[in-house]
DNA sequence: GCATGATCATGC
DNA sequence: GCATGATCATGC
């Protein structure tokens, strides 16, 4: 894949400028990304063997990105619409991160993607939009900005190929539509970042008096660009860095995901929850105690951060306390459902179906004392990968369909109980009984969710012991 | 000992 | 302010 000298295979506006052995195939995404990743953990000066007194010639905002294009990828930067690597359909984004006081990396700013053309956006749909094409295949090069450093000495912290994660796509689509709608209704001059979640229409002009025309109003509007919000970029970066560390660990050990996770837990097995809590500086003051221990073992701080390896494999992580007899102390909850949604959503499109068809990782904490002893110690017993057998999925479907029917009929006192369905039941899941959601009948009902029966999980765990 | 209804700390 | 991932409380 690699090794085609781009000097001879460059096309179009890509023109080699430096002669330092630019070595990638501009038609191969893999080749470009691999070549780019050679900059990870290093600087342009080191990688290119530049003299200590050599200075960056490009000035201003975007100057560093242009330097990377010119001296590393060997083509003349351009602002023509179209991808930076046209033959591979890849968009290059060289963007700064900064180190926070606590040592973690965070994006320095929003990521500007492309200018909003008020005249043409009104004829586009999201799927045919300029924005969508710019975000389809991205090569991110996150570098660490340091104020007094020459840019040639900036370290690249994460270089990765990126696509809009599936779970983020609908939000970005909605954001795009919100922005497009304002232009369509002649309100381009009222665009605001607060209207949207991940995407924003940020102002893009050094001179604030500059304006542009919009199609459905005489009022001139500020020029704006589509950008990924800084908060959204924080999650992109966090996911990328987490994946980076996991991949390195996996490569080092030559492990698949399951073995890698087992290896991660190995040193902690048998330890008491107090020991683990002390190890991670966690206090047992809340209901998320065991969840937080689990997340810390997996290398996560705080619950806002997604676990990259689980994100990628879409693993459902559940921490469970087991009684002496092997029965989980509690059932397993899922997010609350919306009464008005589930009546319309068929089983295979449902959130419950999506949840139950993901692989699960159960992290088992054994309660050591008697049932009556609330202060009984616990220890980390082990982990189990599990997926729901299809016959049980059919039983869950029965629970879902029953629930739909009962909600349709407004019979909220008869929702499926754990004694009525082998696998799942429905129970409250809100802040308290006043935490409600609207019903199709126009009334309010306490939030509820589907739960996996404790008894059912006990049976599944027992089966796994036998087959081990 | 379990089922069921009620509730909570956290982090964004 | 709210979703999340759970635990608590009570009675049968």
């Amino acid at each position: 894949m690699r090794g085609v000298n781009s000097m001879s295979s460059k096309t179009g506006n890509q023109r080699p400028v430096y002669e330092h052995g630019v070595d990638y195939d501009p038609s191969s995404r893999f080749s470009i990304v691999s070549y780019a990743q050679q900059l990870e953990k290093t600087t342009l000066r080191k990688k290119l063997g530049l003299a200590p007194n050599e200075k960056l010639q490009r000035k201003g905002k975007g100057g560093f990105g242009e330097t990377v294009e010119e001296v590393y990828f060997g083509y003349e930067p351009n602002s023509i619409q179209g991808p930076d690597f046209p033959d591979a359909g890849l968009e290059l984004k060289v963007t700064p991160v900064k180190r926070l006081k606590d040592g973690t990396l965070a994006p320095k700013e929003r990521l500007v993607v492309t200018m909003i053309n008020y005249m043409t956006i009104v004829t586009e749909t999201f799927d045919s939009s300029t924005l969508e094409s710019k975000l389809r295949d991205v090569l991110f090069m996150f570098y660490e900005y340091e104020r007094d450093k020459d840019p040639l000495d900036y370290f690249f912290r994460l270089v990765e190929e990126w696509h809009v994660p599936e779970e983020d796509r609908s939000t970005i689509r909605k954001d795009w539509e919100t922005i497009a709608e304002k232009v369509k209704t002649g309100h381009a001059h009222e665009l605001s970042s607060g209207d949207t979640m991940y995407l924003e229409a940020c102002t893009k002009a050094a001179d604030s008096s500059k304006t542009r025309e919009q199609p459905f109003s005489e009022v001139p509007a500020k020029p704006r660009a589509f950008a990924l919000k800084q908060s959204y970029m924080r999650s992109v970066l966090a996911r990328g860095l987490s994946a980076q560390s996991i991949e390195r660990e996996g490569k080092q050990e030559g492990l698949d995901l399951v073995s890698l996770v087992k290896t991660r837990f190995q040193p902690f097995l048998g330890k008491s929850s107090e020991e683990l809590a002390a190890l991670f500086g966690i206090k047992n003051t809340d209901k998320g105690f065991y969840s937080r221990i689990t997340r810390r073992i997996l290398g996560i701080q705080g619950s806002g951060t997604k676990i990259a390896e689980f994100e990628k494999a879409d693993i459902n992580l559940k921490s469970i306390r087991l009684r002496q007899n092997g029965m989980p102390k509690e059932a397993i909850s899922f997010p609350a459902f919306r009464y008005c949604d589930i009546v319309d959503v068929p089983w295979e499109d449902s959130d419950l179906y999506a949840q139950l068809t993901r692989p699960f990782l159960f992290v088992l904490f054994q309660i050591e004392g008697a049932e009556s002893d609330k202060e009984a110690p616990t220890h980390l017993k082990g982990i189990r990968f599990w997926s729901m057998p299809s016959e049980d999925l059919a039983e869950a479907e029965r629970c879902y369909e029953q629930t739909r029917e009962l909600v349709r009929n407004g019979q909220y006192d008869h929702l499926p109980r754990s004694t009525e369905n082998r696998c799942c039941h429905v129970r409250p899941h809100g802040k308290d009984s006043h935490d409600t959601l609207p019903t199709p009948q126009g009334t309010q009902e306490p939030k509820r969710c589907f739960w996996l029966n404790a008894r059912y999980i006990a049976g599944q765990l027992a089966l796994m012991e036998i087959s081990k």
Side-chain angles (χ1 to χ4, degrees):
Chain A
M1 291 238 211
R2 291 267 295 290
V4 178
N5 193 324
S6 62
M7 293 301 168
S8 56
S9 54
K10 286 282 174 190
T11 55
N13 52 43
Q14 297 183 4
R15 186 168 57 82
V17 177
Y18 281 62
E19 300 289 337
H20 63 80
V22 176
D23 182 21
Y24 65 95
D25 174 359
S27 66
S28 159
R29 200 180 294 165
F30 177 84
S31 172
I32 297 165
V33 173
S34 304
Y35 177 71
Q37 283 178 328
Q38 292 173 30
L39 273 179
E40 221 173 60
K41 307 263 179 297
T42 189
T43 68
L44 277 178
R45 192 187 304 281
K46 285 186 188 173
K47 188 68 191 167
L48 303 180
L50 301 175
N53 58 351
E54 191 132 7
K55 292 277 187 255
L56 174 69
Q57 69 286 24
R58 288 195 178 262
K59 294 275 187 305
K61 243 178 148 43
F64 185 59
E66 291 173 354
T67 302
V68 173
E69 293 180 87
E70 186 175 325
V71 308
Y72 192 68
F73 290 104
Y75 67 83
E76 187 71 27
N78 65 77
S79 56
I80 303 165
Q81 283 284 340
D84 299 304
F85 298 96
D87 296 342
L90 198 60
E91 193 70 32
L92 177 67
K93 289 293 177 194
V94 180
T95 186
V97 299
K98 62 191 174 189
R99 203 167 282 281
L100 304 181
K101 287 203 180 85
D102 67 2
T104 60
L105 293 172
K108 185 167 169 284
E109 51 202 45
R110 59 173 62 83
L111 183 87
V112 173
V113 181
T114 186
M115 287 302 294
I116 303 176
N117 185 328
Y118 298 130
M119 305 311 278
T120 58
I121 190 176
V122 297
T123 66
E124 292 178 344
T125 64
F126 175 71
D127 291 308
S128 70
S129 67
T130 309
L131 179 79
E132 203 280 339
S133 71
K134 288 270 178 188
L135 289 182
R136 198 172 300 150
D137 302 298
V138 177
L139 170 56
F140 269 123
M141 300 184 77
F142 291 98
Y143 65 91
E144 185 178 348
Y145 168 84
E146 290 171 274
R147 204 178 43 193
D148 297 324
K149 259 192 182 174
D150 186 284
L152 290 175
D153 299 313
Y154 290 157
F155 274 88
F156 288 86
R157 294 304 178 190
L158 176 67
V159 178
E160 63 165 4
E161 186 178 344
W162 183 86
H163 314 276
V164 175
E166 199 50 50
E167 67 272 21
D168 298 347
R169 194 175 167 83
S170 58
T171 302
I172 289 178
R173 174 194 300 274
K174 186 83 188 296
D175 287 345
W176 184 91
E177 286 166 352
T178 302
I179 292 165
E181 187 61 23
K182 274 210 168 168
V183 182
K184 279 183 191 166
T185 54
H187 294 92
H189 54 289
E190 291 172 5
L191 283 168
S192 152
S193 294
D195 298 340
T196 45
M197 307 299 290
Y198 296 166
L199 209 57
E200 63 180 322
C202 67
T203 55
K204 197 75 173 73
D207 178 1
S208 62
S209 67
K210 280 207 175 129
T211 57
R212 290 193 177 182
E213 57 172 347
Q214 55 172 316
F216 298 116
S217 169
E218 295 303 311
V219 186
K222 284 184 194 166
R224 286 179 187 268
F226 283 113
L228 294 174
K229 290 190 179 190
Q230 191 171 0
S231 53
Y232 182 74
M233 289 306 293
R234 195 178 303 131
S235 98
V236 171
L237 181 67
R239 282 185 256 194
L241 289 172
S242 180
Q244 184 187 53
S245 76
I246 295 292
E247 271 159 27
R248 187 170 316 112
E249 210 171 310
K251 272 182 197 147
Q252 219 170 358
E253 315 259 344
L255 298 177
D256 60 296
L257 179 64
V258 171
S259 311
L260 179 57
V261 172
K262 284 184 180 164
T263 307
R264 277 243 179 171
F265 275 92
Q266 191 59 46
F268 304 103
L269 294 184
K271 286 197 189 298
S272 72
S273 51
E274 285 86 355
E275 275 180 282
L276 293 169
L279 211 54
F280 297 125
I282 297 171
K283 287 204 175 99
N284 187 0
T285 52
D286 74 270
K287 297 181 179 183
F289 179 60
Y290 291 96
S291 166
R292 287 197 288 149
I293 290 179
T294 297
R295 284 166 177 273
R296 287 298 296 269
I297 290 173
L298 285 162
I300 305 305
Q301 284 197 31
S303 65
T305 327
K306 295 283 171 70
I307 304 166
E309 60 203 359
F310 288 85
E311 191 84 349
K312 277 194 291 183
D314 208 21
I315 289 170
N316 225 333
L317 180 62
K318 299 290 179 187
S319 301
I320 299 171
R321 284 179 308 160
L322 298 176
R323 301 176 199 263
Q324 291 288 80
N325 60 7
M327 177 96 153
K329 189 157 189 309
E330 307 290 343
I332 295 171
S333 69
F334 293 102
F337 57 74
R338 296 179 168 275
Y339 300 102
C340 294
D341 287 354
I342 68 163
V343 292
D344 290 330
V345 178
W347 167 240
E348 293 203 351
D349 299 331
S350 67
D351 289 340
L352 181 62
Y353 179 81
Q355 289 276 0
L356 296 181
T357 49
R358 286 163 57 190
F360 283 77
L361 176 63
F362 295 140
V363 179
L364 307 176
F365 292 87
Q366 182 64 56
I367 301 172
E368 291 160 17
E371 185 60 34
S372 53
D373 183 4
K374 281 187 188 162
E375 304 295 310
T378 57
H379 69 265
L380 179 56
K381 183 179 179 226
I383 62 171
R384 300 284 184 277
F385 280 94
W386 177 77
S387 62
M388 194 172 199
S390 57
E391 64 266 32
D392 297 346
L393 214 49
E395 180 72 351
E397 177 178 5
R398 204 171 61 80
C399 180
Y400 180 76
E401 292 299 350
Q402 247 172 32
T403 305
R404 280 179 88 187
E405 194 58 28
L406 290 162
V407 169
R408 236 180 245 129
N409 299 331
Q411 296 171 290
Y412 298 97
D413 292 340
H414 300 95
L415 294 167
R417 298 168 171 271
S418 68
T419 46
E420 295 167 39
N421 188 288
R422 195 163 52 78
C423 301
C424 330
H425 63 277
V426 173
R427 265 199 5 244
H429 188 191
K431 195 168 84 64
D432 55 38
S433 58
H434 305 294
D435 191 13
T436 61
L437 283 171
T439 69
Q441 291 76 32
T443 57
Q444 293 281 320
E445 276 292 319
K447 287 181 185 169
R448 292 184 176 90
C449 77
F450 291 98
W451 299 72
L452 283 174
N453 300 348
R455 191 180 289 277
Y456 168 62
I457 294 304
Q460 291 298 304
L461 291 174
L463 278 177
M464 295 165 81
E465 294 309 316
I466 292 163
S467 64
K468 241 177 156 184

